Amino acid sequence: MINVRSEDAVEAVRHITAGKGLDYVLECSGAPGAVNQAARMLNRGGRICLAAFPHQPVSIDVAYIVRNNIYLYGIRGEGKVPRTAPRH
């Protein structure tokens, strides 16, 4: 377990993975620096799934993401019922 309040999450992941990094990161905090931190946790060609987002625009290191062939995916789960489902 990594406690981001007491240790650097990127350094902890790099230590745990012996410097390799992760294949996937599921980012659920929406913290302003989270996308850049998630990118630095990944190995080359890794994937980030954004399940939350900051309330204000943030700066993202696009050059780092492109140079390391990182994929970004956004998901929205609004809990809406499909129109074909019966409503109660």
Side-chain angles (χ1 to χ4, degrees):
M1 178 182 281
I2 299 170
N3 183 344
V4 298
R5 292 186 177 130
S6 63
E7 61 186 315
D8 181 292
V10 175
E11 287 182 20
V13 166
R14 290 289 174 178
H15 175 74
I16 292 167
T17 62
K20 179 182 182 246
L22 303 170
D23 294 324
Y24 300 94
V25 172
L26 176 60
E27 203 306 285
C28 300
S29 74
V35 174
N36 289 324
Q37 286 182 324
R40 282 168 174 74
M41 291 178 188
L42 292 169
N43 61 29
R44 186 165 168 74
R47 291 163 169 75
I48 302 170
C49 180
L50 303 173
F53 54 90
H55 295 288
Q56 300 295 324
V58 297
S59 179
I60 296 174
D61 188 349
V62 174
Y64 183 88
I65 290 170
V66 171
R67 280 193 309 267
N68 289 285
N69 199 34
I70 293 171
Y71 296 83
L72 288 173
Y73 299 93
I75 60 170
R76 282 181 68 172
E78 297 173 352
K80 291 184 178 180
V81 178
R83 290 180 185 239
T84 57
R87 295 182 186 260
H88 299 285

